[in-house]
DNA sequence: TATTGTTATACTCTATAACTATA
DNA sequence: TATAGTTATAGAGTATAACAATA
């Protein structure tokens, strides 16, 4: 998300010779995958900006939010839910722990597993962060009616669920 | 995309204690960004699998497809269109060149720029790859009607364009 | 024997700074 | 002075193999 688009380019002429400023993207824009990625990229850029205030990346937010609604979830469950690999969750969890946002408690009847819980500080942070994300989402889907937004989400879930 | 989901988990009981297999993801699933990413991930996994036959990654396909419809486009134009940074395009382009898929010709009236063109081999490959991608897209959006698919794409574009 | 969490490590993707040659 | 393309490099993000403790 760096590329600075030019002013406008008075084209309409030389598409054939390929020297116009804007390229013909009709093929790519006919693909669900391409559009989903672009939309995600647009939202996630704003997401990343706003979350720096909380010191959270996207995965961090996902993990904390999941723990807010699923106290005692294990690393394994988080990995399965978010499609991330166990080794890549370790440092994330231990950072959250160091920051005093989460707590690790031994699992009641599985000695291998560790239950993860938000601390009061963690809960307060998630509450704020979730509010910001909802705000941000409303801005991002500003050009959609509430009904269109629901439809969009429903159709996206039809693709991946 | 490695996490292997369990058989099913006969839960419905202990959501409160957080020991059920599946986690409550309703918060995340209410977000456009989250759903767009999941949908893209689902499509892109299949995409990556099928494109190995052509030795192409996602970016490779985007670049070749753009060149098919925009002969003579420059690196700068590709970067602006696909939101990739110039340094990251260099090795991609030079690999395509080595593979005999594209050709670099000096730009007619800007000595700094280089026009990029598909070779006949490149054109043949793109034709095949584009057919495969369209097939794959239809499979991925199998659970959508043609009308729903159009709606989905239109709404996604409303978010990022 | 399989699973949870972990370490170490490698590979890919993306980003930044600085150079060259043209404009 | 600014832009197109390039080099080198640094930092995220994602992946694999192997281990200890527990089931």
């Amino acid at each position: 998300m760096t590329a600075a688009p030019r002013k406008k380019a008075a084209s309409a002429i030389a598409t054939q010779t390929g020297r116009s400023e804007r390229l013909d993207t009709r093929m790519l824009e006919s693909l669900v995958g391409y559009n989903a990625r672009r939309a995600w990229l647009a939202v996630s850029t704003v997401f990343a900006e706003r979350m720096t205030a909380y010191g959270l990346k996207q995965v961090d937010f996902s993990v904390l939010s999941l723990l807010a609604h699923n106290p005692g979830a294990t690393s394994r469950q988080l990995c399965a839910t978010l499609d991330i690999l166990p080794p890549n969750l370790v440092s994330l969890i231990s950072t959250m722990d160091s920051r005093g946002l989460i707590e690790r408690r031994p699992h009641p009847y599985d000695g291998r597993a560790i239950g993860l819980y938000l601390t009061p500080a963690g809960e307060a942070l998630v509450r704020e962060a979730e509010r910001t994300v909802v705000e941000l989402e409303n801005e991002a889907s500003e050009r959609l009616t509430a009904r269109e937004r629901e439809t969009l989400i429903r159709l996206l879930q039809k693709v991946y669920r």
Side-chain angles (χ1 to χ4, degrees), chain A:
Chain A
M1 298 304 281
T2 309
R6 282 288 187 81
K7 279 115 200 179
K8 218 40 179 289
S11 65
I13 328 170
T15 302
Q16 203 184 24
T17 58
R19 231 164 301 117
S20 68
E21 196 60 26
R22 287 227 160 271
L23 299 180
D24 177 356
T25 55
R26 279 174 297 175
M27 166 67 200
L28 296 179
E29 286 182 1
S30 74
L31 305 173
V32 171
Y34 180 82
N35 287 290
R37 179 162 192 279
R38 299 296 297 224
W40 167 68
L41 215 63
V43 177
S44 82
T45 301
V46 183
F47 191 106
E49 285 166 11
R50 305 275 175 97
M51 284 300 112
T52 54
Y54 307 102
L56 299 179
K57 294 180 213 163
Q58 294 180 59
V59 207
D60 301 326
F61 172 80
S62 297
V63 166
L64 291 183
S65 176
L66 279 178
L67 290 181
H69 301 99
N70 301 272
T74 66
S75 289
R76 197 209 136 274
Q77 287 178 306
L78 294 174
C79 284
T81 304
L82 296 173
D83 263 320
I84 54 186
L85 296 168
N88 300 327
L89 190 63
V90 175
S91 74
L92 192 158
I93 293 292
S94 99
T95 301
M96 297 289 179
D97 196 353
S98 305
R99 285 179 63 184
L101 299 175
I102 66 171
E103 238 177 47
R104 310 153 115 143
R105 300 187 210 150
H107 193 284
Y109 56 81
D110 185 339
R112 299 167 301 181
I114 300 168
L116 302 170
Y117 299 84
L118 292 182
T119 62
E123 291 205 20
L125 190 79
V126 173
R127 215 167 8 243
E128 295 265 326
E130 280 188 350
R131 266 200 320 145
T132 303
V133 168
V134 169
E135 246 177 64
L136 170 177
E137 277 270 328
N138 289 334
E139 288 175 34
S141 53
E142 200 174 26
R143 282 177 298 201
L144 272 57
T145 66
R147 185 145 171 56
E148 282 178 324
R149 189 171 178 281
E150 279 175 41
T151 303
L152 173 55
I153 289 179
R154 185 174 55 78
L155 295 180
L156 284 171
Q157 290 178 352
K158 268 196 167 183
V159 171
Y160 79 84
R161 276 218 292 215

